[in-house]
Amino acid sequence: SHVHLPDASLLYDRSYCVDLSACKSEEECVDLVEAFAAAHPENEWIFGWGWIEWNWDQPIPPTYHSLERIKTDRPICLQACHMHSAWLNKKALEICGITRETPDPKGGKIGRFENGEPNGVLYEAEGVLLATNRAFALPDDRLKASFLGFLRHASGFGITSVGDVFPRAVARENAYDLYQA
């Protein structure tokens, strides 16, 4: 098996990420995200993980429209449980520079309405990274706190060391310095 340590650390950090894995509808996800956003006004991004439309009562992919119900000027990025899709609000699309004219990234896809406008869902690694690289751009001290919390949790399962050949969530010059610290 494998784990992406930075991603897992941030997904496990309940002060940074809302867990959407038990949701049975798009509306239920939005309700949880709205409550999380209100409880964490200090977070620059509203981040969540675990949604999956095929477990919903109506298995229809989400769009940014439902997220617009949340009254916030912050970007919202919600990763699917399999990490191959991300659901964004209009603010996140704007920050990521995703418009009707934006081509699909190599190896990824931008979900679109019939008129070509981005619908708020990004697919596959390169598509998802358009948003998560920005959502995960946290200060070093915040990342270290998330890492330590997850490593304490993982050590309870006997995991005592990790290797990461592509630390995407900490894509910066000092990625391995963060790990060493």
Side-chain angles (χ1 to χ4, degrees), residues 8-9 14 16 18 25 34 43 49 53 58 61 64 88 97 100 106 120 166-167:
S9 297
R14 290 296 163 247
Y16 179 72
V18 59
S25 68
E34 185 172 36
N43 291 2
W49 172 82
E53 76 270 14
Q58 293 188 7
Y64 72 77
L88 282 63
R100 178 188 305 250
K106 183 179 178 182
F166 180 53

Side-chain angles (χ1 to χ4, degrees), residues 4-154:
H4 298 277
L5 177 69
D7 300 45
S9 297
L10 294 171
L11 298 179
Y12 181 75
D13 183 342
R14 290 296 163 247
S15 68
Y16 179 72
C17 180
V18 59
D19 182 358
L20 305 171
S21 60
C23 292
K24 295 295 182 191
S25 68
E26 183 173 357
E27 295 76 25
E28 188 177 349
C29 286
V30 173
D31 289 344
L32 281 178
V33 171
E34 185 172 36
F36 180 83
H40 298 282
E42 72 284 0
N43 291 2
E44 186 177 334
W45 280 71
I46 300 166
F47 192 77
W49 172 82
W51 65 272
I52 192 66
E53 76 270 14
W54 59 72
N55 284 340
W56 293 350
D57 296 334
Q58 293 188 7
I60 300 168
T63 70
Y64 72 77
H65 290 299
S66 56
L67 294 174
E68 294 306 296
R69 176 183 106 202
I70 301 170
K71 301 301 179 215
T72 184
D73 60 352
R74 293 181 284 167
I76 300 173
C77 178
L78 310 172
Q79 280 196 286
C81 69
H82 48 63
M83 310 293 282
H84 291 266
S85 301
W87 172 20
L88 282 63
N89 69 346
K90 284 210 54 137
K91 179 70 172 186
L93 289 170
E94 178 185 308
I95 288 172
C96 295
I98 299 171
T99 67
R100 178 188 305 250
E101 290 77 32
T102 305
D104 287 342
K106 183 179 178 182
K109 182 179 177 189
I110 298 169
R112 299 178 191 277
F113 295 113
E114 286 184 17
N115 68 2
E117 177 188 4
N119 67 13
V121 180
L122 307 177
Y123 298 96
E124 291 307 328
E126 293 306 314
V128 171
L129 287 174
L130 288 173
T132 55
N133 279 348
R134 289 171 177 84
F136 287 170
L138 298 172
D140 289 356
D141 60 337
R142 183 75 174 86
L143 282 172
K144 286 179 190 176
S146 290
F147 284 3
L148 288 172
F150 182 75
L151 290 172
R152 282 187 205 99
H153 176 72

